[in-house]
Amino acid sequence: MTTLDVPAPDAAAAARDVPVLELVDVHKTYAQGQLEVHALRGVSLRVARGDHLAIMGPSGSGKSTLMHILGCLDVPSSGRYLLAGADVGGLDERELARIRNREIGFVFQQFNLLPTLSAWRNVEMPLLYAGVGRPERRRRALEALDRVGLGDRVDHRPGELSGGQQQRVSVARALVTEPALVLADEPTGNLDSASTEDVLGLFDELHAGGRTVVVITHEREVAQRAARVVHIRDGRLTEETAP
């Protein structure tokens, strides 16, 4: 068990004051031969519970590196990353895998759905890895699909769904473990304009319902749907101010 476990009801009030994520002076350096590439340069960021944040930047800005660190897919070279108050740097690979499966809901540009499985079986996969029994997995998967408006498509395979519907399935999969954080990496990159609006509307609904959502994008129209926007360039963050 780690400090990322859901707090008991009598601790809930205190837990609300803890940011869902906090980066403190994070640097990330890669070695390329004899050269050092500084992908992140002193990034500090706090995301409160229920926040809807967009991180916007062009290719080569460091946003992919930042996404990998936020998703516990990589670790900083220096600095600290705290997720729901727990210092990720102090966790071993087994605990990191648990966090990726239960505490972070991922939504990717590529939907990453298994083509031979129905929508509900795709959604249940994180629960399967967590050891949840089949009846409970099915109940929670159907509930998650209903939340994203696909209650009538639960037995459809990905090839029988539109691009926007497939992305809704991936959002349902991200929500099924009730994670602390929904992390979306270019979630509309493969969608047409109508499907993009559909998925962005879903993120708006999640935010309105109190869910913490972080979207990483290079598209301004996507970023502007968030409550906060930060820009990354040359490995440094700047926050967008209201006009």
Side-chain angles (χ1 to χ4, degrees):
M1 303 289 283
T2 74
T3 55
L4 289 172
D5 291 318
V6 175
D10 59 353
R16 280 195 292 268
D17 295 330
V18 177
V20 168
L21 69 86
E22 183 173 12
L23 300 174
V24 182
D25 195 26
V26 165
H27 292 254
K28 183 65 181 182
T29 303
Y30 296 101
Q32 289 188 351
Q34 296 184 342
L35 297 177
E36 286 189 343
V37 177
H38 298 278
L40 298 178
R41 303 169 181 264
V43 170
S44 294
L45 178 67
R46 286 170 60 95
V47 177
R49 293 180 185 275
D51 204 353
H52 185 187
L53 173 72
I55 300 173
M56 184 179 173
S59 296
S61 62
K63 70 179 187 296
S64 293
T65 300
L66 180 57
M67 191 280 293
H68 289 155
I69 288 175
L70 293 178
C72 298
L73 301 168
D74 201 354
V75 294
S77 300
S78 64
R80 300 177 69 204
Y81 174 31
L82 294 93
L83 180 62
D87 191 336
V88 172
L91 304 179
D92 61 26
E93 183 52 43
R94 180 183 62 82
E95 292 170 318
L96 289 173
R98 176 189 174 279
I99 290 171
R100 288 191 293 267
N101 186 56
R102 300 188 188 183
E103 306 295 341
I104 303 172
F106 292 96
V107 180
F108 296 105
Q109 179 176 346
Q110 306 294 337
F111 311 131
N112 293 342
L113 301 176
L114 298 176
T116 61
L117 297 184
S118 65
W120 83 264
R121 288 197 175 277
N122 269 283
V123 171
E124 75 163 349
M125 293 306 292
L127 301 177
L128 177 64
Y129 296 140
V132 177
R134 177 168 175 160
E136 178 68 5
R137 293 200 310 267
R138 178 176 171 82
R139 183 190 69 78
R140 291 170 64 177
L142 296 181
E143 182 180 272
L145 283 165
D146 190 58
R147 289 168 67 184
V148 301
L150 289 179
D152 59 344
R153 297 288 190 272
V154 299
D155 291 316
H156 287 59
R157 295 181 180 180
E160 300 170 320
L161 300 171
S162 69
Q165 289 172 331
Q166 290 183 62
Q167 192 61 294
R168 280 181 172 261
V169 173
S170 70
V171 172
R173 183 183 57 197
L175 294 175
V176 76
T177 59
E178 296 294 334
L181 171 67
V182 174
L183 180 60
D185 183 26
E186 300 284 3
T188 62
N190 284 334
L191 302 179
D192 59 27
S193 57
S195 295
T196 291
E197 179 62 30
D198 188 40
V199 170
L200 292 180
L202 178 56
F203 287 142
D204 291 343
E205 292 172 18
L206 293 175
H207 173 232
R211 184 71 58 181
T212 307
V213 180
V214 174
V215 177
I216 295 174
T217 183
H218 69 278
E219 300 177 87
R220 174 164 288 277
E221 60 268 29
V222 173
Q224 288 179 333
R225 293 289 289 267
R228 289 173 60 203
V229 179
V230 297
H231 294 263
I232 184 167
R233 183 175 293 276
D234 299 326
R236 295 184 173 90
L237 287 186
T238 58
E239 185 143 4
E240 186 169 294
T241 57

